[in-house]
Amino acid sequence: MLAANPNYSFYVPLSKLRASDSKKFKILSNFSSVNCFPPSKKFHFWSIPPSNAVQRTPRTRENRSRSSVGSCGSLCSKFPIGACLAAEPDTQSVDAPQQPFAPHSIKIPVGDRYILVETGHIGRQASSAVTVTDGETIIYTTVCLADVPNEPSDFFPLTVNYQERFSAAGRTSGGFFKREGRTKDHEVLICRLIDRPLRPTMLKGFYHETQILSWVMSYDGLHPPDSLAVTAAGIAVALSEVPNSGVIAGVRIGLIGDKFVVNPTTKEMEDSKLDLFLAGTDSAILMIEGYCDFLPEEKLLEAVEVGQNAVRVICMAVESLVKKCGKPKMFDAIKLPPPKLYKHVEEIAGDELVETLQIKNKIPRRRALSSLEAKVLNILTEEGFVSKTEASFTSEVLPVLVESEDEDEEVVVDGEVDEGDVHIKPAPKKPTPLLYSVGDVKLVFKEVSSKFLRRRIVEDGKRSDGRNPEDLRSINSCCGILPRAHGSALFTRGETQSLAVATLGDKQMAQRIDNLVDEEEFKRFYLQYSFPPSCVGEVGRAGAPSRREIGHGILAERALEPILPSENAFPYTIRVESTITESNGSSSMASVCGGCLALQDAGVPVRCSIAGIAMGMVLDTEEFGGDGTPLILSDITGGEDASGDMDFKVAGNDDGVTAFQMDIKVGGITLPVMRQALLQAKEGRKHILVEMSKCFPPPSKKLSRYAPLIHVMKVKPDKINLIIGSGGKKVKSIIEETGVESIDTQDDGIVKITAKDLSSLEKSKAIISSLTMVPTIGDVYRNCEIKSIAPYGAFVEIAPGREGLCHISELSASWLAKAEDAVKVGDRVDVKLIEINEKGQLRLSIRALLPKSSPETLNKKQRIDIPSKETTDNIELPEGRSLDAKVEARPPVVDKFVKRFINPGKDATKTNKSMPKKASNKPAIDTSKTSESPVINGEEAKFG
């Protein structure tokens, strides 16, 4: 039957199917027309069109996701066919419409190059998946959301994870498991960069948990992945089913010379004066974060404008892609609280809420708000709320059915209506109690509280603590409160307080960074921020730092980094810890102020003082009776941060800005609003710097006695191995012998010695100097110790571990029978270096430093008994002498001396004639001179 009828259908048990076969045949969805199979069996129905209708198409990127059709023979040979049914030809197999998973790609201009965006190629089961390519750096990002919504809450259930795969750079992890471990700090920072601009665009009332996963799949070391990851996440959300208000994108702006560069390469960033990251939509700015070296505010605004223009181009290109292949948004899943609930909450708690928000101190105000919220929850969720207007409305009647007692004698009472056997009596209507969900009530209570707070600021011009919009809280600070810490400071601003501690150390204390590129990187300065739950009077988790703590710590760290001295000027590793002991807004900027004072107290020679301030905003003032101009708030508190529309942190001094970070909780802000906030922040910083200068006790500005001592010395690079020794044995022995903490050597000849006290530092310094010194003939060494004595001379230690030989002839101006006649072990003498042989061995002389004697005072019978070169070459050193101390024992002036008695009473000429003739290289004694001193090789032998 199969051969006779080319158009047929058949069934195949699921257990016989393979995944590869599902690509060759099309599933029939009309199962109801088949009646010949047991209902308990599960089958897939496959339809095969006529073989002559099949058009084979080469597999390309555009059609690789479409279904292709196989032959009948191949199917029959693979699956046992249990039944065959006639079917209509599959007309949809030819010229099938485009599938929803069809790949799409676009190129978007960014700066001086293009980025490639692709979707529909991989990750097709996710709500959306995109790959974004810049150069050879590729980011893969997916968006998925839960099928069932969570309970209503006051935040959008969004989680972001970003990971840099080591394989992206062609390497693997150095750990034991050879795979990526916990999220690193810089990965956490990028997660925050992705999350912060996306969250304001998410529509309220959507409670399906949403997850964004981003991976660096390829990295070329030239194009940074962070700005690419933010753009990829914005595109993925725009293509997904998640309802949001618009497309977002992110770019980095650098300042190279006087030119702003969009998405500069890593090499270009080495010369950049600015590192600005900006994210937003085509019409507004949502998030900025940047670091610079005291740039003025106007220069920053120019950079923001360049970044906003670049973001606009990306967003417009992505919108065209969304129209082609974006999924329908789940607007029907949005569930907002009932509109009447807002009026009910205001009616219940309005008057009390106004009084509560005027409480100045944070803890009493928080407790009063919690008590008021509990009251509102009890009424609206348990007891039921009856509106005052509904309770006073009694004009309607409620029908009450009363059975007639006497049908014969019906009496119609005044006010009643005769309805036959039933009388209807008027009765007042009882209002129906209204009950709402707990989640809705909490959401509405929070929004109403925020509304009342903003209204008070706009209408009265006063904030919850009584300040004007431009006023700052009271500031006081003190240093040196921790006696054993290298530097400490306590900075207090209102109800926000930071305890900052500075610690100094050597390179071993530096923070090692494991990055994608296979280069070892160390941070010599880092600031760690901690926010314990006790700082807000609560009970909470205490453990590993949260993402917020990591982000705040990096912000304060980058704000203080420009004022630090160079490593050559101050060779210390610096760690600053900021523990928030009280918090009511702007704790990260308090860490900047406290950290600056702690650095000064530790004796770090900083360039200047740095202060930080947090700015807030009420964007829509017209809603509360204002003129519509945004109202900027200086030094915001925690409540103003939560209820406001902006959190803008700025750090710097009078001259410029070193760090800034802005988060928006509305649709975005414009450049004029940013300009106003920056200028107002500058005035606030000036005030804080003045208050910091009043710190008492003031910073010590000198090294603590408990801080380690670090000495930096420079040696020849080829001498470094002498310090390290075989397998590091030499440097370890120096550390053990002297008691220093560490000795760090670099390939360029820099040696850093870290010690707790000066004596151990000097010992190690002397040993290293002796190992690496380059002696020069003529150098004089004072107060050197005689280490040992041999028959041919004495070994003198000119430096720790470095000895030379002082021959017996150089020990004294007079003749010596043995060396002990002049010196003994332990004596201290001054010596002069008179020779360095080809082996690097040193020859010293005491005689060269003695006063010269006249020839007449010499003993004419003294015997010159100096061993020859052949004799000294075979000298054995005393036991315990090292090879470094071995010095060739030979005379400093000539190789050989003629041993001879000189008799002045005889004729010198006759004596010379009686001497046998020798070669010209032999020493000759010239007695023709009046001087009685012998002349050797034409030079006078001087003993005095």
Side-chain angles (χ1 to χ4, degrees):
M1 185 176 83
L2 291 175
N5 188 359
N7 302 327
Y8 55 85
S9 297
F10 57 92
Y11 72 90
V12 180
L14 289 177
S15 60
K16 300 295 184 178
L17 285 178
R18 292 187 298 184
S20 60
D21 297 309
S22 64
K23 299 179 181 179
K24 299 181 180 179
F25 306 100
K26 184 176 180 181
I27 302 176
L28 294 179
S29 59
N30 187 12
F31 296 98
S32 60
S33 61
V34 181
N35 299 320
C36 58
F37 308 115
S40 61
K41 300 291 183 179
K42 293 183 178 180
F43 301 97
H44 270 310
F45 292 82
W46 303 90
S47 173
I48 302 179
S51 60
N52 57 5
V54 177
Q55 297 180 0
R56 299 191 178 275
T57 307
R59 289 178 61 82
T60 63
R61 174 169 292 185
E62 287 73 16
N63 60 22
R64 67 178 61 174
S65 63
R66 300 182 184 180
S67 300
S68 60
V69 182
S71 64
C72 172
S74 62
L75 179 69
C76 296
S77 62
K78 289 183 179 181
F79 303 114
I81 300 177
C84 296
L85 298 174
E88 295 295 329
D90 186 5
T91 58
Q92 296 183 354
S93 298
V94 182
D95 298 331
Q98 190 177 32
Q99 300 296 323
F101 292 146
H104 295 270
S105 64
I106 58 171
K107 285 187 176 182
I108 304 175
V110 180
D112 58 352
R113 58 186 182 272
Y114 287 84
I115 62 172
L116 175 65
V117 179
E118 297 176 287
T119 185
H121 177 48
I122 57 177
R124 297 177 297 177
Q125 295 190 31
S127 179
S128 68
V130 298
T131 57
V132 182
T133 304
D134 185 8
E136 292 183 343
T137 299
I138 301 177
I139 302 292
Y140 170 56
T141 302
T142 62
V143 174
C144 289
L145 58 157
D147 296 332
V148 179
N150 294 343
E151 290 295 324
S153 60
D154 58 350
F155 66 94
F156 181 73
L158 173 66
T159 56
V160 178
N161 286 281
Y162 167 89
Q163 186 181 63
E164 294 178 351
R165 296 284 178 87
F166 286 103
S167 58
R171 54 186 295 251
T172 185
S173 172
F176 177 79
F177 295 102
K178 300 301 178 187
R179 68 179 299 169
E180 289 74 13
R182 70 176 185 87
T183 306
K184 295 178 279 292
D185 284 359
H186 72 278
E187 292 175 326
V188 169
L189 297 177
I190 299 176
C191 288
R192 285 171 53 84
L193 290 178
I194 296 172
D195 183 284
R196 285 159 48 197
L198 278 176
R199 195 171 290 276
T201 66
M202 301 300 180
L203 301 183
K204 293 182 178 180
F206 186 76
Y207 303 117
H208 290 259
E209 185 176 359
T210 305
Q211 185 180 50
I212 298 176
L213 302 178
S214 186
W215 297 271
V216 180
M217 308 305 292
S218 177
Y219 180 58
D220 58 7
L222 194 62
H223 301 90
D226 47 4
S227 60
L228 212 60
V230 175
T231 300
I235 297 173
V237 171
L239 294 173
S240 71
E241 302 154 302
V242 179
N244 65 326
S245 59
V247 182
I248 74 155
V251 294
R252 169 177 272 109
I253 305 298
L255 179 59
I256 302 172
D258 293 330
K259 181 182 178 182
F260 293 107
V261 180
V262 179
N263 278 6
T265 63
T266 53
K267 291 184 178 179
E268 291 174 330
M269 282 300 297
E270 294 175 359
D271 302 324
S272 178
K273 303 176 185 177
L274 171 69
D275 183 6
L276 168 65
F277 192 92
L278 182 144
T281 64
D282 58 352
S283 59
I285 303 167
L286 292 172
M287 183 270 294
I288 61 172
E289 182 167 335
Y291 312 99
C292 50
D293 191 4
F294 298 101
L295 286 183
E297 283 77 4
E298 290 299 328
K299 206 68 175 178
L300 293 181
L301 291 171
E302 293 179 21
V304 171
E305 186 175 5
V306 172
Q308 188 180 17
N309 293 335
V311 166
R312 183 181 297 111
V313 173
I314 299 175
C315 292
M316 293 175 64
V318 173
E319 287 176 357
S320 64
L321 179 65
V322 172
K323 292 178 181 179
K324 293 180 182 178
C325 56
K327 293 185 178 180
K329 299 295 183 180
M330 297 175 58
F331 293 110
D332 56 345
I334 295 177
K335 296 181 180 179
L336 296 172
K340 289 185 178 181
L341 183 57
Y342 291 87
K343 296 181 180 180
H344 298 334
V345 171
E346 291 183 14
E347 187 176 346
I348 296 173
D351 297 336
E352 295 182 54
L353 197 56
V354 172
E355 297 177 0
T356 302
L357 292 175
Q358 294 179 10
I359 300 175
K360 293 184 178 182
N361 295 328
K362 177 182 176 179
I363 299 300
R365 182 173 62 251
R366 187 187 68 192
R367 291 175 177 172
L369 284 173
S370 298
S371 176
L372 184 57
E373 183 185 32
K375 173 184 175 182
V376 174
L377 280 172
N378 183 51
I379 294 175
L380 292 177
T381 62
E382 297 181 9
E383 298 179 359
F385 174 69
V386 178
S387 175
K388 296 179 181 179
T389 57
E390 293 181 359
S392 60
F393 184 75
T394 57
S395 60
E396 295 186 3
V397 296
L398 181 65
V400 179
L401 302 183
V402 182
E403 185 177 354
S404 176
E405 297 179 357
D406 190 355
E407 295 182 357
D408 296 334
E409 297 180 359
E410 288 189 10
V411 178
V412 179
V413 184
D414 293 339
E416 295 183 359
V417 179
D418 185 9
E419 294 291 344
D421 296 338
V422 178
H423 291 171
I424 301 176
K425 296 182 178 180
K429 176 183 177 182
K430 295 181 180 179
T432 304
L434 301 176
L435 297 176
Y436 298 92
S437 66
V438 175
D440 286 344
V441 174
K442 287 186 174 182
L443 284 174
V444 172
F445 182 81
K446 182 178 180 180
E447 292 186 23
V448 170
S449 301
S450 174
K451 179 181 177 182
F452 275 55
L453 178 65
R454 295 150 65 93
R455 176 182 295 168
R456 170 177 167 79
I457 295 173
V458 175
E459 291 181 352
D460 302 337
K462 296 291 183 181
R463 296 150 75 172
S464 58
D465 53 5
R467 290 182 292 148
N468 294 326
E470 299 84 4
D471 292 345
L472 277 66
R473 293 171 287 179
S474 60
I475 297 173
N476 61 79
S477 54
C478 57
C479 289
I481 62 174
L482 304 177
R484 293 302 294 254
H486 299 162
S488 59
L490 183 67
F491 179 84
T492 306
R493 178 167 52 199
E495 292 181 298
T496 298
Q497 189 178 74
S498 169
L499 176 61
V501 179
T503 306
L504 306 179
D506 59 354
K507 187 178 179 180
Q508 293 182 354
M509 200 181 81
Q511 186 179 35
R512 184 178 181 273
I513 299 176
D514 194 6
N515 48 29
L516 276 179
V517 293
D518 194 11
E519 296 178 359
E520 200 171 41
E521 183 180 354
F522 292 91
K523 288 176 63 175
R524 63 178 290 263
F525 170 65
Y526 50 96
L527 189 148
Q528 296 171 336
Y529 166 101
S530 60
F531 191 90
S534 61
C535 69
V536 290
E538 296 178 353
V539 176
R541 181 187 66 89
S546 64
R547 291 187 173 187
R548 177 182 177 275
E549 290 175 305
I550 293 174
H552 281 22
I554 292 296
L555 175 63
E557 173 188 307
R558 297 290 297 271
L560 293 172
E561 199 168 16
I563 67 173
L564 295 179
S566 65
E567 187 174 4
N568 294 332
F570 193 74
Y572 284 90
T573 295
I574 307 168
R575 178 195 182 197
V576 175
E577 301 165 83
S578 175
T579 303
I580 305 304
T581 52
E582 290 184 37
S583 179
N584 187 13
S586 190
S587 59
S588 62
M589 295 297 96
S591 300
V592 173
C593 302
C596 179
L597 292 172
L599 289 174
Q600 294 175 347
D601 191 56
V604 180
V606 297
R607 292 170 54 184
C608 60
S609 295
I610 292 291
I613 187 171
M615 312 297 292
M617 179 183 67
V618 178
L619 182 63
D620 187 9
T621 57
E622 191 174 0
E623 178 184 358
F624 308 109
D627 57 359
T629 304
L631 181 62
I632 306 298
L633 307 176
S634 297
D635 187 21
I636 58 174
T637 62
E640 293 167 344
D641 184 7
S643 302
D645 298 325
M646 179 182 72
D647 182 12
F648 191 11
K649 305 179 180 70
V650 187
N653 64 356
D654 295 346
D655 299 328
V657 177
T658 59
F660 49 94
Q661 183 184 92
M662 183 185 70
D663 293 315
I664 300 297
K665 302 174 184 177
V666 290
I669 65 171
T670 58
L671 283 174
V673 177
M674 254 195 86
R675 178 177 284 104
Q676 181 184 351
L678 281 171
L679 295 178
Q680 192 167 321
K682 184 176 182 179
E683 296 301 321
R685 290 200 314 273
K686 291 180 179 180
H687 175 77
I688 297 172
L689 288 170
V690 172
E691 295 299 320
M692 288 172 60
S693 65
K694 302 176 183 177
C695 175
F696 186 81
S700 65
K701 296 185 179 181
K702 63 180 181 179
L703 285 177
S704 168
R705 58 176 177 169
Y706 302 111
L709 302 175
I710 296 182
H711 176 73
V712 181
M713 55 192 304
K714 175 75 174 179
V715 302
K716 286 191 173 182
D718 57 354
K719 300 289 184 180
I720 290 294
N721 290 334
L722 297 177
I723 304 174
I724 300 175
S726 177
K729 292 181 180 179
K730 188 63 178 178
V731 70
K732 291 178 182 177
S733 65
I734 297 174
I735 293 174
E736 293 176 359
E737 179 182 351
T738 61
V740 297
E741 292 186 347
S742 65
I743 298 175
D744 177 48
T745 60
Q746 300 177 12
D747 294 338
D748 58 356
I750 298 296
V751 180
K752 294 181 181 179
I753 308 170
T754 305
K756 290 182 178 180
D757 55 83
L758 187 60
S759 61
S760 60
L761 180 65
E762 292 295 336
K763 289 180 182 178
S764 61
K765 176 185 173 182
I767 294 175
I768 293 174
S769 298
S770 65
L771 290 174
T772 59
M773 73 175 183
V774 181
T776 304
I777 295 176
D779 290 346
V780 176
Y781 303 95
R782 304 288 182 183
N783 197 30
C784 301
E785 183 181 359
I786 304 293
K787 285 296 185 179
S788 63
I789 296 178
Y792 45 82
F795 287 94
V796 183
E797 185 182 50
I798 61 173
R802 191 72 184 270
E803 297 178 4
L805 174 64
C806 185
H807 193 266
I808 191 172
S809 63
E810 301 294 337
L811 289 175
S812 175
S814 60
W815 180 84
L816 298 174
K818 54 183 179 179
E820 287 85 348
D821 294 342
V823 294
K824 61 180 181 294
V825 175
D827 286 352
R828 296 278 179 175
V829 295
D830 298 339
V831 294
K832 182 178 181 179
L833 179 62
I834 59 176
E835 183 186 0
I836 303 174
N837 68 0
E838 64 277 2
K839 297 180 181 180
Q841 298 167 338
L842 309 180
R843 179 157 179 130
L844 308 172
S845 174
I846 297 176
R847 187 183 64 165
L849 298 178
L850 297 176
K852 294 184 179 180
S853 302
S854 62
E856 290 77 8
T857 60
L858 293 176
N859 183 4
K860 298 179 182 179
K861 292 186 177 182
Q862 68 179 219
R863 184 177 180 179
I864 304 176
D865 191 5
I866 303 175
S868 64
K869 183 178 187 303
E870 289 79 1
T871 305
T872 57
D873 286 342
N874 297 323
I875 290 177
E876 294 184 2
L877 298 179
E879 184 178 357
R881 296 294 98 200
S882 63
L883 291 177
D884 291 341
K886 184 187 292 184
V887 180
E888 185 178 357
R890 61 183 182 183
V893 179
V894 296
D895 290 339
K896 294 184 179 180
F897 290 85
V898 177
K899 304 177 183 180
R900 182 181 300 274
F901 290 102
I902 301 176
N903 189 352
K906 293 185 178 182
D907 187 2
T909 304
K910 185 178 180 180
T911 304
N912 288 337
K913 288 182 179 179
S914 65
M915 291 177 59
K917 292 183 179 181
K918 296 180 183 280
S920 60
N921 61 346
K922 296 293 183 178
I925 300 177
D926 187 0
T927 58
S928 61
K929 293 186 179 182
T930 57
S931 174
E932 295 182 358
S933 298
V935 178
I936 303 175
N937 285 348
E939 295 183 3
E940 182 180 359
K942 298 179 180 179
F943 294 94

